[in-house]
Amino acid sequence: GAVVSQHPSWVICKSGTSVKIECRSLDFQATTMFWYRQFPKQSLMLMATSNEGSKATYEQGVEKDKFLINHASLTLSTLTVTSAHPEDSSFYICSASSSGTGGAYGYTFGSGTRLTVV
Amino acid sequence: AQSVTQLGSHVSVSEGALVLLRCNYSSSVPPYLFWYVQYPNQGLQLLLKYTTGATLVKGINGFEAEFKKSETSFHLTKPSAHMSDAAEYFCAVSTGGGNKLTFGTGTQLKVEL
C-alpha cells in the first residue's frame, strides 16, 4: 500500500534556529502534499497545500515566510520552520495524495514530527 | 465550503460492547468521507473511506461506517470493542480526490475492562 515517510520523528532546537522536516512518498508519486499542525488534544489544522513544481498555497493565518514549503519533486516535500520560537512547538504531520487517485489512496499520512523549541 | 462535526469528544465503552462514534458533515458537493485513527505521537491511519458506490463501507479492524445522505452522517461503528481500539478517531471530508481534507475535532475512545 501507499507509504509516506516523514523525518525526523522528533527534533529539539534552540530558539532562533531553523528546522527542516521531510516528507517522502515511497511507492507512489504525490502530486499534492498537505502539511498539518496539531496541538495537544486537538484536531489537525491544515497549514498549506503544495503541488509539485508550484508555490504552496497557505491557509489564512499561516505565515508563509515562517513556514517554508518546497515540493520540488513528485516524491518529496519539505517544511522548514524558520527562526523557530517556543510557540512553534507542535506536532507537524504531512499527507500525500496522487492526482486522480486521491480517493483510492485516502491521503496517506506521515508518522508526524514532534518539534520542541527551547 | 465543507465542515465536519463529531459529537462527543470522549466516548467510553466496555470491552466487547458496541462502539458508535458520530460524524455529521456539511458539503456543497458530493463528499468524500473518511475515518482515521491516531495513536499517541503517531500519524493518522486510514480506517475506511466513502467516495462513491455502496453506502455501507467496511474498513480495517472490524470497523464500518454508513453514508446517509439524508442525514448528512457518516457514523463509525464496531460490534465489539477491544482494548487496542482505545485511540483518537477523526472524521474528515473532502470535495474530491486530491482536494484538501477538513477534519472534525476528534473523539477519544476509551475502552474499559
Side-chain angles (χ1 to χ4, degrees):
Chain A
V3 177
V4 170
S5 174
Q6 186 172 343
H7 180 80
S9 299
W10 57 270
V11 58
I12 301 173
C13 71
K14 291 185 177 180
S15 186
T17 62
S18 295
V19 174
K20 179 183 286 188
I21 302 170
E22 291 189 350
C23 182
R24 294 181 183 272
S25 57
L26 298 185
D27 50 4
F28 67 101
Q29 294 184 327
T31 52
T32 305
M33 285 194 175
F34 306 87
W35 286 94
Y36 295 86
R37 183 173 181 176
Q38 187 179 31
F39 292 102
K41 308 292 185 183
Q42 294 189 28
S43 188
L44 282 75
M45 180 189 76
L46 180 66
M47 299 174 66
T49 302
S50 73
N51 293 294
E52 184 263 339
S54 304
K55 288 185 178 180
T57 301
Y58 290 81
E59 295 297 301
Q60 192 172 11
V62 177
E63 298 176 62
K64 59 182 64 177
D65 293 333
K66 180 166 193 61
F67 299 100
L68 301 180
I69 292 172
N70 183 277
H71 192 169
S73 77
L74 285 171
T75 59
L76 174 64
S77 177
T78 60
L79 167 66
T80 301
V81 183
T82 62
S83 187
H85 287 93
E87 57 266 31
D88 299 324
S89 298
S90 190
F91 193 58
Y92 294 87
I93 307 176
C94 70
S95 172
S97 74
S98 176
S99 176
T101 59
Y105 282 123
Y107 304 86
T108 306
F109 285 79
S111 55
T113 298
R114 173 71 60 191
L115 170 63
T116 302
V117 185
V118 298
Chain B
Q2 58 196 38
S3 65
V4 174
T5 301
Q6 289 184 243
L7 290 176
S9 58
H10 292 82
V11 170
S12 184
V13 300
S14 299
E15 190 174 33
L18 171 72
V19 175
L20 170 61
L21 304 182
R22 299 180 185 275
C23 172
N24 287 87
Y25 70 90
S26 172
S27 176
S28 56
V29 299
Y32 285 15
L33 294 161
F34 305 81
W35 274 101
Y36 289 90
V37 61
Q38 184 181 34
Y39 296 96
N41 293 309
Q42 294 187 27
L44 274 66
Q45 180 183 12
L46 178 68
L47 285 175
L48 49 80
K49 64 181 184 289
Y50 169 80
T51 54
T52 60
T55 56
L56 180 62
V57 181
K58 295 186 184 298
I60 62 171
N61 301 338
F63 285 95
E64 64 181 39
E66 186 171 11
F67 170 59
K68 292 187 176 180
K69 184 179 179 180
S70 61
E71 299 178 7
T72 61
S73 69
F74 191 57
H75 302 329
L76 181 71
T77 61
K78 181 174 180 177
S80 177
H82 191 273
M83 295 297 289
S84 61
D85 294 327
E88 186 84 21
Y89 291 80
F90 291 98
C91 181
V93 63
S94 80
T95 56
N99 296 338
K100 67 180 182 181
L101 279 172
T102 299
F103 285 89
T105 51
T107 297
Q108 182 71 45
L109 176 65
K110 183 178 179 181
V111 182
E112 299 174 318
L113 287 171

